[in-house]
Amino acid sequence: MTAETLNFRQTAAMPYVRAWLLGMAALIFCMVIVGGATRLTDSGLSITEWKPLLGAIPPLTEAQWLDAFEKYRQIPEYQQINKGMSLAEFEFIYWWEWSHRFLGRVIGLAFFLPFAYFAVTGALNRCTAIRCGVLFVLGGLQGALGWYMVASGLVGRVDVSQYRLAAHLSLATLIYGGILWVAFGLGLKRHLPETGRQWLALLIAALVLLQIAAGGFVAGLDAGFGYNSWPLIDGAVVPRGLFAAEPWWRNMFENALTVQFNHRNLAYAIFLLVAAQAYAGRSRADLILLLAVLGQVALGVWTLLWAVPLWLGLAHQGGAMLVFAAAIWSLHCALRGERVTALREVRV
């Protein structure tokens, strides 16, 4: 890792930079919840255009509402699923999607303006400035990826591509984790994994990210609305039909039964690894992660058995983000070294 010095200004600004980054992580957490509500209320295709600037202004007159509704009536989702929807019903789903996009714009400004201030005033060291710059670029790409996802549902199908949905959720989670990683590491030395326990902490964080991506496929295929039994799935531990599609790999992403089966079993694997890590390390961070995973498993089973009511689906999605935050914290604790002071050499 790169060695760099911190001056007194950067040391003094550290609490403010950390508070800003943690606030950004909280906003992204809210963004994911609103995105989940947009998905579960089938609101994501209600705005059929992408206007990065003018799109921040919602319809203000009846004529504008009727124009937006008419555009929605041209897409397959309306024609095949929601035909006959009233204007009031359209307004309900429109506001969910508008809120999701508007919050994205708020996050962009809330990141860029303080970042520019901290950078100009010299409050960020070189590595932190570069990392924050990369996160900002990823945030812009996330907005473009969101529209790419929406565009997949405007022609030829009645919902968005599960591949693009999973990619959109995964990138949001990666940005969230990256912000937390930078925030946790301010003013501390960290090293690469060296011991088995440190590599295990890294593996767990990677698996939680993979599990969230798998959850994106579950959401994209509405797989949680079927096979609502536990611990058996479709009446068996290993149900028939897991590889009904050809070629076999399509089942991993397009077969609702296989997607849900994989999501369940990856959760079991993560729980066992986290339990082993907590038993071996018995640190506060590992125990917090174990409690978070236990709570998320319970939420997942509850959500499944109740066939994904809106509030439980959102709680489960929020729980996934909390588990990922706990995994990032556990990894940070495993790799951190001594605290640095002003004008000392530090590995960032």
Side-chain angles (χ1 to χ4, degrees):
M1 296 188 182
T2 305
E4 194 168 329
T5 57
L6 296 178
N7 60 39
F8 289 111
R9 179 186 296 275
Q10 292 161 357
T11 303
M14 235 184 283
Y16 304 101
V17 174
R18 183 179 290 110
W20 162 60
L21 290 171
L22 293 177
M24 291 307 309
L27 282 175
I28 294 174
F29 178 91
C30 293
M31 182 72 165
V32 171
I33 298 300
V34 174
T38 301
R39 172 64 186 166
L40 288 170
T41 56
D42 292 322
S43 304
L45 299 178
S46 57
I47 302 178
T48 59
E49 298 174 309
W50 188 36
K51 298 178 178 179
L53 296 178
L54 295 179
I57 304 173
L60 300 175
T61 66
E62 183 178 2
Q64 290 174 340
W65 275 112
L66 290 173
D67 179 62
F69 189 24
E70 181 59 30
K71 291 174 181 175
Y72 176 68
R73 292 170 65 183
Q74 306 308 309
I75 70 172
E77 181 182 74
Y78 173 83
Q79 295 168 359
Q80 299 179 38
I81 304 295
N82 291 330
K83 196 164 188 176
M85 169 185 278
S86 68
L87 179 59
E89 291 171 326
F90 169 72
E91 290 177 3
F92 173 80
I93 64 172
Y94 185 100
W95 281 120
W96 272 119
E97 174 64 8
W98 181 86
S99 298
H100 186 54
R101 297 192 188 192
F102 184 76
L103 184 54
R105 294 180 173 95
V106 169
I107 289 173
L109 286 175
F111 192 98
F112 176 75
L113 294 178
F115 172 47
Y117 172 78
F118 287 133
V120 169
T121 58
L124 304 177
N125 65 26
R126 182 172 176 272
C127 280
T128 302
I130 290 173
R131 289 175 176 179
C132 289
V134 170
L135 289 169
F136 180 72
V137 171
L138 288 177
L141 292 175
Q142 173 71 344
L145 181 57
W147 171 247
Y148 181 62
M149 176 190 70
V150 170
S152 68
L154 298 180
V155 179
R157 55 186 299 158
V158 297
D159 53 9
V160 300
S161 162
Q162 70 272 25
Y163 293 96
R164 301 185 192 184
L165 174 63
H168 188 51
L169 176 60
S170 299
L171 183 54
T173 306
L174 188 63
I175 295 170
Y176 172 76
I179 289 175
L180 290 174
W181 182 254
V182 175
F184 294 157
L186 290 174
L188 291 170
K189 294 182 180 180
R190 285 190 299 219
H191 54 81
L192 294 173
E194 298 169 349
T195 67
R197 282 172 54 189
Q198 291 168 352
W199 281 108
L200 177 59
L202 178 60
L203 174 63
I204 288 171
L207 288 177
V208 172
L209 178 61
L210 178 62
Q211 175 72 326
I212 291 172
F217 281 98
V218 171
L221 292 172
D222 290 329
F225 292 98
Y227 314 105
N228 301 106
S229 60
W230 186 85
L232 301 181
I233 178 170
D234 201 25
V237 174
V238 181
R240 300 179 63 181
L242 290 177
F243 295 98
E246 294 290 343
W248 68 268
W249 60 264
R250 287 183 54 200
N251 293 279
M252 312 298 287
F253 311 106
E254 300 176 18
N255 183 335
L257 174 61
T258 310
V259 166
Q260 191 192 120
F261 179 80
N262 291 341
H263 192 54
R264 291 191 189 199
N265 284 282
L266 186 52
Y268 302 149
I270 290 172
F271 166 73
L272 291 175
L273 289 174
V274 170
Q277 176 181 252
Y279 178 78
R282 302 188 184 183
S283 70
R284 179 178 299 178
D286 293 340
L287 292 175
I288 289 173
L289 176 57
L290 178 59
L291 289 175
V293 170
L294 283 170
Q296 179 67 351
V297 169
L299 268 176
V301 172
W302 190 4
T303 302
L304 179 70
L305 294 178
W306 283 31
V308 199
L310 177 61
W311 68 276
L312 262 180
L314 297 182
H316 187 53
Q317 189 153 324
M321 301 302 285
L322 293 177
V323 169
F324 190 56
I328 294 295
W329 175 250
S330 175
L331 177 61
H332 162 76
C333 291
L335 300 180
R336 71 181 175 187
E338 64 185 87
R339 188 173 299 277
V340 302
T341 56
L343 302 180
R344 288 185 58 187
E345 192 172 59
V346 49
R347 289 181 296 173
V348 180

